[in-house]
Amino acid sequence: MMKTTVYLPDELEVRLDAESAATGVSKAELIRRGIAMLLDSSDRPRNDTPLPVFHSGRSRSADEMNEDVYRQIKQRSARR
């Protein structure tokens, strides 16, 4: 997980504190859920093309392939 700092207006912070206390869900988790809901409902077109096939001309370990796939996913997520 990556750490991100977010500045909230006082009113939103009070509401977030209240929701966290009422539900027993951490503020961080509530924020993550809210961001996920926003991104999942976005009308912005997504690039759903398949991941590329890597032809390096040599055998690669599973770790090397995982790193390449992770790098591709991270790049595509940054463009969304």
Side-chain angles (χ1 to χ4, degrees):
M1 236 184 253
M2 302 281 296
K3 180 179 179 180
T4 302
T5 302
V6 178
Y7 294 95
L8 300 175
D10 292 341
E11 177 189 335
L12 202 52
E13 177 72 18
V14 169
R15 292 173 60 196
L16 184 61
D17 283 337
E19 184 67 18
S20 177
T23 61
V25 177
S26 73
K27 293 190 321 184
E29 178 61 21
L30 291 172
I31 292 168
R32 283 191 290 272
R33 289 177 186 180
I35 291 169
M37 287 174 53
L38 172 73
L39 296 176
D40 290 346
S41 66
S42 173
D43 291 335
R44 195 169 131 212
R46 291 188 173 100
N47 184 356
D48 289 334
T49 58
L51 290 173
V53 176
F54 300 98
H55 298 285
S56 67
R58 65 177 177 86
S59 298
R60 297 185 329 177
S61 71
D63 288 336
E64 290 174 312
M65 288 188 282
N66 283 343
E67 288 174 18
D68 287 339
V69 170
Y70 173 76
R71 190 172 20 260
Q72 286 290 325
I73 291 170
K74 189 172 181 179
Q75 287 173 356
R76 287 178 184 217
S77 295
R79 289 183 268 178
R80 287 188 172 183

